[in-house]
């Protein structure tokens, strides 16, 4: 589980630490989006393969 910092806590951090925090948060969001995109593409491919087998 990831700890979430409040805006008040982050404002007390040095600028470099705030930037690093937001960079890590954005990087995690990109990885999460890529994971779900790949899951969707995989599911779509399985559905199409299944549908093609039914048509034969």
């Amino acid at each position: 589980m990831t700890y979430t910092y409040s805006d008040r806590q982050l404002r007390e951090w040095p600028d470099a630490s705030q930037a690093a925090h937001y960079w890590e948060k954005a990087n995690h969001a990109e990885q999460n989006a890529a994971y779900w995109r790949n899951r969707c593409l995989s599911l779509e491919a399985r559905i199409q393969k299944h549908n093609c087998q039914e048509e034969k």
Side-chain angles (χ1 to χ4, degrees):
M1 184 170 161
T2 304
Y3 183 78
T4 303
Y5 296 98
S6 69
D7 289 337
R8 175 184 270 174
Q9 288 173 305
L10 289 173
R11 276 182 289 206
E12 295 174 359
W13 292 9
D15 288 343
S17 297
Q18 289 181 33
H21 170 76
Y22 287 120
W23 186 89
E24 287 290 335
K25 192 172 181 180
N27 189 37
H28 177 73
E30 285 180 0
Q31 290 175 352
N32 196 30
Y35 168 80
W36 286 108
R37 182 187 67 239
N38 291 336
R39 289 282 307 261
C40 290
L41 292 173
S42 175
L43 176 61
E44 185 178 24
R46 288 194 309 259
I47 289 171
Q48 288 180 354
K49 183 179 178 182
H50 180 74
N51 287 343
C52 289
Q53 290 174 353
E54 286 182 354
E55 293 175 359
K56 291 181 180 180

